[in-house]
């Protein structure tokens, strides 16, 4: 078991750099690489936001289209974070996308988002979750799957 932790600062660019360095420092016999050099994790468990964001990859933001870096800083006025890039996520042996639940604020839960991600005409840029539509296993509760044509 190898656990990679964050440094814990609020400096997203420094955190992203340090996290990427920790990933690339793992020997290839413990974390294999694909032909292009991307690390191949055993599994990625990903959640989806109502706007289709995965990780901190938000619609219509340049981070969604990043193909060279492994980890990116995401700096916003209210908070900062880091995110794995779509190529790194998709290089995993198994990608599992989970979506469930509804609330008073969102009575339909994520049904609309799941339809857009899986059966809409979205692009990864407009709805990042759509980049995982093929090749991932999607775990949805009844509410999240309510608008899908099965």
């Amino acid at each position: 078991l190898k656990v990679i932790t964050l440094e814990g600062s609020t400096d997203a660019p420094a955190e992203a750099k340090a996290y990427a360095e920790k990933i690339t420092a793992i020997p290839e016999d413990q974390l294999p690489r694909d032909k292009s050099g991307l690390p191949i994790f055993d599994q990625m468990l990903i959640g989806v936001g109502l706007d289709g964001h995965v990780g901190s990859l938000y619609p219509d933001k340049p981070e969604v289209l990043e193909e060279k870096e492994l980890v990116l800083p995401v700096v916003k006025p209210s908070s900062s974070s880091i995110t794995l890039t779509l190529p790194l996520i998709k290089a995993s042996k198994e990608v599992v996308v989970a979506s469930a639940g509804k609330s008073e604020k969102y009575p339909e839960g994520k049904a609309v988002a799941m339809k857009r991600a899986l059966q809409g005409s979205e692009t990864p840029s407009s709805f990042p979750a759509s980049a995982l539509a093929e090749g991932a296993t999607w775990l949805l509760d009844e509410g999240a799957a309510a608008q899908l044509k099965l």
Side-chain angles (χ1 to χ4, degrees):
L1 177 65
K2 178 74 174 171
V3 177
I4 304 169
T5 59
L6 300 173
E7 299 298 316
S9 79
T10 57
D11 183 345
E15 289 288 335
K17 183 177 185 286
Y19 204 74
E21 288 172 352
K22 289 178 181 182
I23 290 172
T24 56
I26 299 172
E28 202 165 330
D29 65 328
Q30 295 175 26
L31 182 61
R33 310 304 199 266
D34 70 10
K35 289 182 266 183
S36 68
L38 281 171
I40 302 171
F41 287 93
D42 290 330
Q43 184 179 68
M44 289 277 176
L45 176 59
I46 306 292
V48 180
L50 291 170
D51 62 356
H53 79 271
V54 291
S56 288
L57 297 169
Y58 294 94
D60 302 315
K61 298 294 183 189
E63 294 88 1
V64 174
L65 302 176
E66 175 61 46
E67 293 188 3
K68 293 182 181 176
E69 301 296 329
L70 302 177
V71 184
L72 298 173
V74 180
V75 180
K76 299 187 296 184
S78 61
S79 66
S80 295
S81 62
I82 67 171
T83 187
L84 302 178
T85 59
L86 282 173
L88 180 59
I89 293 168
K90 292 171 71 172
S92 299
K93 290 179 188 173
E94 180 180 29
V95 177
V96 177
V97 181
S99 180
K102 55 185 172 180
S103 65
E104 283 185 31
K105 186 175 179 182
Y106 301 107
E108 290 192 39
K110 295 188 179 173
V112 172
M114 296 306 95
K115 182 172 179 135
R116 287 179 68 188
L118 294 169
Q119 296 174 341
S121 58
E122 301 288 348
T123 66
S125 186
S126 68
F127 209 76
S130 69
L132 305 175
E134 296 202 17
T137 299
W138 290 70
L139 300 177
L140 309 176
D141 69 358
E142 188 174 330
Q147 293 190 16
L148 295 176
K149 292 180 179 144
L150 303 174

